[in-house]
PDB file of all heavy atoms in Angstrom:
ATOM      1  N   GLY A  80      97.841 109.144  87.391  1.00 91.00           N
ATOM      2  CA  GLY A  80      97.927 109.236  88.851  1.00 91.00           C
ATOM      3  C   GLY A  80      97.368 110.543  89.372  1.00 91.00           C
ATOM      4  O   GLY A  80      96.646 110.585  90.372  1.00 91.00           O
ATOM      5  N   GLU A  81      97.682 111.641  88.658  1.00 89.00           N
ATOM      6  CA  GLU A  81      97.182 112.958  89.095  1.00 89.00           C
ATOM      7  C   GLU A  81      95.666 113.010  88.981  1.00 89.00           C
ATOM      8  O   GLU A  81      94.970 113.507  89.857  1.00 89.00           O
ATOM      9  CB  GLU A  81      97.763 114.062  88.189  1.00 89.00           C
ATOM     10  CG  GLU A  81      99.221 114.351  88.444  1.00 89.00           C
ATOM     11  CD  GLU A  81      99.801 115.285  87.382  1.00 89.00           C
ATOM     12  OE1 GLU A  81      99.030 115.979  86.693  1.00 89.00           O
ATOM     13  OE2 GLU A  81     101.029 115.291  87.245  1.00 89.00           O
ATOM     14  N   GLU A  82      95.170 112.494  87.884  1.00 83.00           N
ATOM     15  CA  GLU A  82      93.734 112.623  87.617  1.00 83.00           C
ATOM     16  C   GLU A  82      92.893 111.718  88.525  1.00 83.00           C
ATOM     17  O   GLU A  82      91.825 112.104  88.983  1.00 83.00           O
ATOM     18  CB  GLU A  82      93.452 112.279  86.138  1.00 83.00           C
ATOM     19  CG  GLU A  82      91.998 112.336  85.735  1.00 83.00           C
ATOM     20  CD  GLU A  82      91.368 113.719  85.907  1.00 83.00           C
ATOM     21  OE1 GLU A  82      92.100 114.711  86.000  1.00 83.00           O
ATOM     22  OE2 GLU A  82      90.123 113.778  85.983  1.00 83.00           O
ATOM     23  N   PHE A  83      93.410 110.522  88.758  1.00 80.00           N
ATOM     24  CA  PHE A  83      92.535 109.529  89.379  1.00 80.00           C
ATOM     25  C   PHE A  83      92.830 109.240  90.846  1.00 80.00           C
ATOM     26  O   PHE A  83      92.281 108.300  91.402  1.00 80.00           O
ATOM     27  CB  PHE A  83      92.541 108.241  88.562  1.00 80.00           C
ATOM     28  CG  PHE A  83      91.963 108.471  87.193  1.00 80.00           C
ATOM     29  CD1 PHE A  83      92.682 108.170  86.067  1.00 80.00           C
ATOM     30  CD2 PHE A  83      90.710 109.042  87.050  1.00 80.00           C
ATOM     31  CE1 PHE A  83      92.157 108.417  84.797  1.00 80.00           C
ATOM     32  CE2 PHE A  83      90.175 109.291  85.796  1.00 80.00           C
ATOM     33  CZ  PHE A  83      90.902 108.983  84.662  1.00 80.00           C
ATOM     34  N   ARG A  84      93.682 110.071  91.453  1.00 80.00           N
ATOM     35  CA  ARG A  84      93.996 109.741  92.834  1.00 80.00           C
ATOM     36  C   ARG A  84      92.754 109.816  93.716  1.00 80.00           C
ATOM     37  O   ARG A  84      92.665 109.118  94.710  1.00 80.00           O
ATOM     38  CB  ARG A  84      95.148 110.564  93.371  1.00 80.00           C
ATOM     39  CG  ARG A  84      94.911 112.043  93.436  1.00 80.00           C
ATOM     40  CD  ARG A  84      96.193 112.752  93.884  1.00 80.00           C
ATOM     41  NE  ARG A  84      95.943 114.146  94.150  1.00 80.00           N
ATOM     42  CZ  ARG A  84      95.868 115.081  93.191  1.00 80.00           C
ATOM     43  NH1 ARG A  84      96.010 114.753  91.929  1.00 80.00           N
ATOM     44  NH2 ARG A  84      95.623 116.324  93.510  1.00 80.00           N
ATOM     45  N   THR A  85      91.765 110.617  93.321  1.00 83.00           N
ATOM     46  CA  THR A  85      90.543 110.673  94.125  1.00 83.00           C
ATOM     47  C   THR A  85      89.430 109.789  93.541  1.00 83.00           C
ATOM     48  O   THR A  85      88.358 109.698  94.107  1.00 83.00           O
ATOM     49  CB  THR A  85      90.014 112.122  94.191  1.00 83.00           C
ATOM     50  OG1 THR A  85      89.832 112.582  92.856  1.00 83.00           O
ATOM     51  CG2 THR A  85      90.957 113.030  94.952  1.00 83.00           C
ATOM     52  N   ARG A  86      89.705 109.171  92.400  1.00 86.00           N
ATOM     53  CA  ARG A  86      88.659 108.357  91.761  1.00 86.00           C
ATOM     54  C   ARG A  86      89.163 106.933  91.528  1.00 86.00           C
ATOM     55  O   ARG A  86      88.658 106.230  90.664  1.00 86.00           O
ATOM     56  CB  ARG A  86      88.255 108.974  90.417  1.00 86.00           C
ATOM     57  CG  ARG A  86      87.771 110.392  90.522  1.00 86.00           C
ATOM     58  CD  ARG A  86      87.504 110.984  89.151  1.00 86.00           C
ATOM     59  NE  ARG A  86      86.293 110.436  88.557  1.00 86.00           N
ATOM     60  CZ  ARG A  86      85.818 110.815  87.360  1.00 86.00           C
ATOM     61  NH1 ARG A  86      86.451 111.728  86.656  1.00 86.00           N
ATOM     62  NH2 ARG A  86      84.722 110.268  86.877  1.00 86.00           N
ATOM     63  N   ARG A  87      90.191 106.550  92.278  1.00 91.00           N
ATOM     64  CA  ARG A  87      90.872 105.289  92.015  1.00 91.00           C
ATOM     65  C   ARG A  87      89.907 104.104  91.948  1.00 91.00           C
ATOM     66  O   ARG A  87      90.042 103.217  91.108  1.00 91.00           O
ATOM     67  CB  ARG A  87      91.935 105.047  93.116  1.00 91.00           C
ATOM     68  CG  ARG A  87      92.660 103.707  93.038  1.00 91.00           C
ATOM     69  CD  ARG A  87      93.512 103.608  91.781  1.00 91.00           C
ATOM     70  NE  ARG A  87      94.048 102.269  91.571  1.00 91.00           N
ATOM     71  CZ  ARG A  87      93.435 101.321  90.886  1.00 91.00           C
ATOM     72  NH1 ARG A  87      92.240 101.533  90.345  1.00 91.00           N
ATOM     73  NH2 ARG A  87      94.000 100.136  90.722  1.00 91.00           N
ATOM     74  N   HIS A  88      88.936 104.106  92.850  1.00 90.00           N
ATOM     75  CA  HIS A  88      88.029 102.960  92.936  1.00 90.00           C
ATOM     76  C   HIS A  88      87.148 102.802  91.687  1.00 90.00           C
ATOM     77  O   HIS A  88      86.564 101.763  91.453  1.00 90.00           O
ATOM     78  CB  HIS A  88      87.144 103.073  94.187  1.00 90.00           C
ATOM     79  CG  HIS A  88      86.284 104.302  94.168  1.00 90.00           C
ATOM     80  ND1 HIS A  88      86.795 105.564  94.395  1.00 90.00           N
ATOM     81  CD2 HIS A  88      84.971 104.462  93.928  1.00 90.00           C
ATOM     82  CE1 HIS A  88      85.815 106.449  94.294  1.00 90.00           C
ATOM     83  NE2 HIS A  88      84.699 105.810  94.012  1.00 90.00           N
ATOM     84  N   GLU A  89      87.059 103.885  90.884  1.00 90.00           N
ATOM     85  CA  GLU A  89      86.205 103.807  89.687  1.00 90.00           C
ATOM     86  C   GLU A  89      86.944 103.210  88.491  1.00 90.00           C
ATOM     87  O   GLU A  89      86.339 102.875  87.486  1.00 90.00           O
ATOM     88  CB  GLU A  89      85.757 105.223  89.270  1.00 90.00           C
ATOM     89  CG  GLU A  89      84.886 105.927  90.270  1.00 90.00           C
ATOM     90  CD  GLU A  89      84.655 107.368  89.829  1.00 90.00           C
ATOM     91  OE1 GLU A  89      84.257 107.601  88.676  1.00 90.00           O
ATOM     92  OE2 GLU A  89      84.906 108.269  90.659  1.00 90.00           O
ATOM     93  N   VAL A  90      88.274 103.130  88.590  1.00 93.00           N
ATOM     94  CA  VAL A  90      89.091 102.761  87.431  1.00 93.00           C
ATOM     95  C   VAL A  90      89.506 101.297  87.464  1.00 93.00           C
ATOM     96  O   VAL A  90      89.869 100.789  88.516  1.00 93.00           O
ATOM     97  CB  VAL A  90      90.414 103.569  87.411  1.00 93.00           C
ATOM     98  CG1 VAL A  90      91.083 103.506  86.048  1.00 93.00           C
ATOM     99  CG2 VAL A  90      90.238 104.958  87.887  1.00 93.00           C
ATOM    100  N   PHE A  91      89.495 100.670  86.296  1.00 97.00           N
ATOM    101  CA  PHE A  91      90.166  99.384  86.156  1.00 97.00           C
ATOM    102  C   PHE A  91      91.505  99.709  85.497  1.00 97.00           C
ATOM    103  O   PHE A  91      91.587 100.014  84.312  1.00 97.00           O
ATOM    104  CB  PHE A  91      89.360  98.415  85.289  1.00 97.00           C
ATOM    105  CG  PHE A  91      89.968  97.032  85.270  1.00 97.00           C
ATOM    106  CD1 PHE A  91      89.602  96.082  86.211  1.00 97.00           C
ATOM    107  CD2 PHE A  91      90.933  96.688  84.333  1.00 97.00           C
ATOM    108  CE1 PHE A  91      90.187  94.815  86.225  1.00 97.00           C
ATOM    109  CE2 PHE A  91      91.519  95.434  84.332  1.00 97.00           C
ATOM    110  CZ  PHE A  91      91.133  94.493  85.269  1.00 97.00           C
TER     111      PHE A  91
END
Side-chain angles (χ1 to χ4, degrees):
E81 286 171 19
E82 178 61 19
F83 296 124
R84 63 185 189 280
T85 56
R86 303 175 73 179
R87 175 66 189 90
H88 61 286
E89 296 173 51
V90 196
F91 187 90

